[in-house]
Every structure is written in structure tokens, then in C-alpha cells.
Amino acid sequence: MDQVACLRSVGFETSAISLDALASGTSKVSPLPGSEEKLIYRGWMITPDDYLRLTNAVKNAGADVLISHAEYLATHYLPNWYPLIRDLTPETRFFSINDDLESALTGLGWDNFFIKDYVKSLKTSIGSIINEPSAIRTVVAEMQKFRGSIEGGLCVRQVEDFIAETEKRYFVVYGKPFAALPNEEIPGIVKECAKRINSPFFSVDVVERRDGCKRIVEIGDGQVSDLVGWTAERFATLWVEYS
């Protein structure tokens, strides 16, 4: 609700929609937006099907969304953005849960493996980093147990020697990157990423490796990215600066 208040304080209008009613097709935008206005969704991660339903609900209300269904998937699913910044992020391989995962990981010859599906990693149980290929069976079972399903497929990322406390989130709006602090310098790696990713609004998470090299560890659709390290006030001014 802080974001709503801050966005309203700088002149933006806000509406709400029921995510629970998306599947039934009964979700409606309230209050109705002005005709031909473009709306930005801010909320929980939703499936591609539900995002399509959301965009249809907005269009039925006479408005449109800033982020199309294709643009949502371009940054929400790791396999879609990885090829565009392969040189800026840890090496990643993609698998189906039906693959012989233990053999595949053994064949990679890596010391450690970071496991996630196309969207999220396992943050409970044994966690997302394993050093034995045989542990992949447990990770997959626990992801299915705690998350209900594997979204898309599996991403296996090489583990690099990162300094965890250096991780920062940036937002990019139509190719222009923004930092959590108004006068903060934007790293070159973020500027380069902003040129390569085809989405009007997305987030970029950058961390420093122990050798001093900055690396991108995550890209996400900006609409469903938390304000990690940001204040609601700063997030609202981002849109004022853009507009």
C-alpha cells in the first residue's frame, strides 16, 4: 500500500483487480481507467496464462497494458533473457524434469550447481545450491512439494564466487536504467543490459564477484519485482523522471 500512496502523491491514478478471479474470467479493473490509458501491473508473480487473462481484463475495461504478454515472458522466464546476456551472467543449462538430470549434471563437471525453475529457486529444505549431482532428485521433489509445480523447466546455473552483500537491484524503463539512490552511479553492466533486453520495464540484479567483476544474477519483469533496496518514494519518482 505504500507504493499506492506514493504513486498517488506524485499524480498517478491507481486501480485494483482480483487475481483470484482471473481463472474464472470475472476479474474487473476497479475503478475503471480512462479510455486508452496504459496500465502497469504491480503485484504477485502470476503464470503466463493468468497474465494473458489480466491483459484481457484491462483491454475489456477500455485501457491497455504497458507490458504485453510476450514482453512479460521475455524477462519473467530465464531461458528467454539468458541468450541475450550470456556473457554477463553465470553459465546456464536448461533441462526438462523428465531428463536424466543426475547424468546431465555429472557431465557438466562443475563443482557446484544452482538449481531453479524458469522463475524461482528453492529457498527452503536443502536450498538451491548442491555439490553432488545425485542431490538434484531431492531438489526437484522439494520444489514440487513446496511450490506445487515446476514452472517451465529446470535451469542449472554455474556457481561463481559472489560477495552476497554487494547485490543490488536496478530498474530499467524504456532502456533507461535507474538506481535505488537518485545520484547513484549506474554500473556499465546494467547500461549494457538495458540495451539488449526488449522490454519497456524490467529489473536487473547485479552482484560483485570476489575478483572485482560485476555479474548479472537475475532479470525479472519489473511489474512483479520487489523493491529490494528501494523505497516506495524512490520507485514513484522513477516514473515521474521517465514521464
Side-chain angles (χ1 to χ4, degrees), residues 64-136:
D64 202 354
V65 292
L66 178 70
I67 307 295
S68 69
H69 183 259
E71 288 165 340
Y72 178 69
L73 290 181
T75 53
H76 190 52
Y77 274 4
L78 195 157
N80 292 338
W81 56 258
Y82 174 74
L84 302 176
I85 61 160
R86 188 189 303 268
D87 55 321
L88 309 177
T89 193
E91 183 176 351
T92 306
R93 304 293 178 88
F94 305 103
F95 301 98
S96 161
I97 59 172
N98 297 318
D99 290 337
D100 184 348
L101 297 170
E102 185 174 344
S103 294
L105 267 59
T106 299
L108 290 175
W110 298 348
D111 293 330
N112 298 287
F113 312 85
F114 181 92
I115 313 297
K116 62 180 295 183
D117 66 12
Y118 284 9
V119 179
K120 289 183 178 180
S121 59
L122 181 67
K123 294 182 171 59
T124 54
S125 183
I126 67 171
S128 55
I129 296 178
I130 59 175
N131 53 28
E132 292 292 338
S134 59
I136 186 66

Side-chain angles (χ1 to χ4, degrees), residues 17-85:
I17 188 170
S18 170
L19 297 183
D20 292 334
L22 283 175
S24 66
T26 58
S27 277
K28 297 185 182 302
V29 180
S30 179
L32 285 173
S35 177
E36 299 184 359
E37 287 188 351
K38 284 199 172 183
L39 276 61
I40 301 164
Y41 168 65
R42 283 295 293 167
W44 300 110
M45 291 182 180
I46 55 179
T47 65
D49 286 345
D50 274 349
Y51 190 78
L52 186 58
R53 295 183 183 105
L54 183 148
T55 62
N56 289 335
V58 170
K59 290 176 181 178
N60 289 338
D64 202 354
V65 292
L66 178 70
I67 307 295
S68 69
H69 183 259
E71 288 165 340
Y72 178 69
L73 290 181
T75 53
H76 190 52
Y77 274 4
L78 195 157
N80 292 338
W81 56 258
Y82 174 74
L84 302 176
I85 61 160

Side-chain angles (χ1 to χ4, degrees), residues 12 121 136 168 186 215:
F12 292 98
S121 59
I136 186 66
K168 289 186 177 182
I186 305 292
R215 301 285 274 167

